[in-house]
Amino acid sequence: MALLHQLEELAHNIAASDKKMPVPFTFSVAGLDHPHIYSMTQGLLDAGAQLVHVYDKNIDQSKAFVEKFRTGEVVSELSHILHSEVDLVATSIVPSERCDLGIQVLEHDKHFLSAKAPFTTMDQLLAAKEAVRRTGKKWAVFYSERLAVEAALLADEIVQYGLIGDLFQLTGSGPHRLQAGTRPEWFFDPSKNGGILCDIGSHQMEQLLHYSRTLEANVLHSKVANYAHPEYGAWQDFGDATLVTDSGISQYFRVDWFTPAGLRVWGDGRTVLHGTNGFIELRKYTDVARSAEGEHLYIVTDHEELYFPVKGKVGIPYFSQLIGDCVYGTEVAMSQEHTFRAAALAIQAQEKAISLTKAGEK
């Protein structure tokens, strides 16, 4: 029971930190190519921000977006947003186009929030770093598999509180449902999405840096494959990687596009945090055959084992923290260096990856 009370107190402390900012904050949306923009927009609205403009090359898509949120003005030109007085521009435009858009946003004196993956090449990352140095504006990335998962936020508090001893390894899985017929052409083009490790694998590497509280890690080895979708050529349906931090904390993760149709959600994402005196398992989006709801946390310590349902107990403080960082120049939500380092690891893992083939193929 002592552990339960500790978890309840930690959850309460996180929830108490999630407060709407008491200052006006405006944002616009430019680029609706990936549905992550919906959760990003809802998060900003919930944190008290005001949506001003929506732009997409497909104006019908912009109109549908505004109709859903019942706020914001559809504009037909990106320049309308760039020359406005909004504080931040959020995007889920095609990944290979996010860097160019972000540089334009920063050069027009606005902060920038991108869906992952923020970059597809190292040259893009270097250009973004220079833009941040030159303008002093923030380049934020929404790594939703940690920032928008209550169980993941609570797990961080547990680790930092020392309830499982010293962290020494993370293991993770990020399976996704393909639903190929719903995907746009760019989704299957590695030059536009960056490859599977740069894309959905970026979540995993960001978690390693955050939970281990370091900015230094190396990709030891990585692999990619197209096991079952030859019609998409160089596109990848599987990837994995092993990393180690400068402090000796290791990580292995795997990601894929093989979530079977029988699963009630899009993917059974899991993270296990291994400590010297215990471990935590996060079943983020489902508990197979038991619950289609997410936010499940299992913890084992030297004293007891416990299941703790986290849904609704923690909240998602990232967006209020991000607004505060933009207004006051702080780095509570995520440091700029951490944001860029996570992206760099994802690109490096992709560039180093060995390409696998089906068994028996040459």
Side-chain angles (χ1 to χ4, degrees):
M1 292 299 293
L3 180 58
L4 175 61
H5 292 154
Q6 286 178 307
L7 298 193
E8 289 174 339
E9 183 176 355
L10 291 174
H12 173 77
N13 291 341
I14 300 171
S17 71
D18 187 12
K19 299 177 180 178
K20 287 186 178 182
M21 293 303 299
V23 295
F25 190 85
T26 57
F27 73 103
S28 293
V29 169
L32 308 173
D33 292 285
H34 194 287
H36 280 324
I37 194 62
Y38 284 85
S39 58
M40 293 160 63
T41 298
Q42 189 63 62
L44 287 166
L45 292 171
D46 290 345
Q50 177 188 354
L51 174 60
V52 180
H53 312 107
V54 177
Y55 167 75
D56 190 81
K57 294 176 183 177
N58 182 340
I59 196 164
D60 289 336
Q61 191 161 303
S62 295
K63 290 178 179 177
F65 190 87
V66 167
E67 183 177 350
K68 174 178 175 57
F69 289 103
R70 299 186 180 279
T71 186
E73 174 192 356
V74 173
V75 296
S76 58
E77 298 292 338
L78 175 62
S79 60
H80 191 100
I81 291 175
L82 295 177
H83 294 290
S84 72
E85 298 297 322
V86 297
D87 298 301
L88 177 144
V89 176
T91 190
S92 66
I93 200 170
V94 174
S96 61
E97 300 174 14
R98 291 171 186 172
C99 179
D100 286 345
L101 175 60
I103 291 173
Q104 290 184 74
V105 168
L106 267 63
E107 288 179 341
H108 283 81
D109 200 33
K110 296 164 179 54
H111 303 288
F112 183 59
L113 173 61
S114 170
K116 64 79 206 158
F119 315 106
T120 56
T121 69
M122 198 61 73
D123 285 344
Q124 291 177 0
L125 174 56
L126 294 175
K129 284 184 175 182
E130 172 57 25
V132 168
R133 186 201 64 78
R134 187 172 63 251
T135 66
K137 291 297 180 178
K138 292 192 179 295
W139 194 303
V141 178
F142 183 48
Y143 290 104
S144 58
E145 289 190 18
R146 180 178 65 82
L147 297 172
V149 175
E150 294 180 275
L153 300 178
L154 180 57
D156 184 43
E157 292 296 312
I158 293 170
V159 171
Q160 302 311 315
Y161 201 71
L163 293 183
I164 61 168
D166 295 327
L167 185 68
F168 67 85
Q169 187 182 48
L170 283 77
T171 55
S173 59
H176 287 58
R177 178 167 287 133
L178 179 56
Q179 294 180 306
T182 68
R183 303 289 181 176
E185 288 185 11
W186 65 262
F187 175 86
F188 296 102
D189 184 347
S191 70
K192 293 184 178 180
N193 65 40
I196 193 168
L197 296 177
C198 187
D199 182 20
I200 56 178
S202 64
H203 288 294
Q204 305 292 329
M205 287 170 271
E206 190 278 329
Q207 290 173 82
L208 172 65
L209 295 183
H210 181 78
Y211 287 124
S212 63
R213 292 299 194 272
T214 187
L215 294 171
E216 297 301 325
N218 292 310
V219 179
L220 299 183
H221 59 79
S222 52
K223 306 186 291 293
V224 296
N226 182 346
Y227 281 125
H229 303 89
E231 65 272 27
Y232 300 126
W235 181 74
Q236 299 142 11
D237 55 24
F238 170 83
D240 72 2
T242 301
L243 295 87
V244 64
T245 70
D246 57 344
S247 56
I249 298 172
S250 64
Q251 179 189 43
Y252 170 78
F253 73 83
R254 59 178 306 283
V255 290
D256 67 58
W257 290 99
F258 287 113
T259 293
L263 191 69
R264 292 173 286 179
V265 300
W266 58 266
D268 180 16
R270 302 192 186 194
T271 298
V272 183
L273 299 146
H274 303 269
T276 52
N277 298 108
F279 64 87
I280 306 163
E281 181 179 347
L282 309 178
R283 302 183 188 180
K284 297 180 178 180
Y285 310 112
T286 187
D287 200 354
V288 174
R290 291 196 288 188
S291 172
E293 285 195 334
E295 307 290 1
H296 304 276
L297 185 149
Y298 294 84
I299 178 171
V300 180
T301 71
D302 278 339
H303 304 289
E304 58 185 303
E305 56 187 47
L306 181 69
Y307 164 64
F308 190 77
V310 191
K311 188 174 179 64
K313 296 178 181 176
V314 168
I316 308 297
Y318 170 76
F319 293 99
S320 58
Q321 292 170 350
L322 175 62
I323 292 172
D325 288 347
C326 292
V327 172
Y328 301 116
T330 53
E331 290 193 323
V332 177
M334 184 180 294
S335 75
Q336 190 64 76
E337 192 173 3
H338 176 102
T339 301
F340 284 153
R341 185 60 184 140
L345 283 175
I347 295 169
Q348 290 166 2
Q350 190 70 52
E351 290 178 343
K352 293 180 66 171
I354 299 169
S355 183
L356 304 177
T357 58
K358 289 182 181 180
E361 288 186 355
K362 294 183 179 180

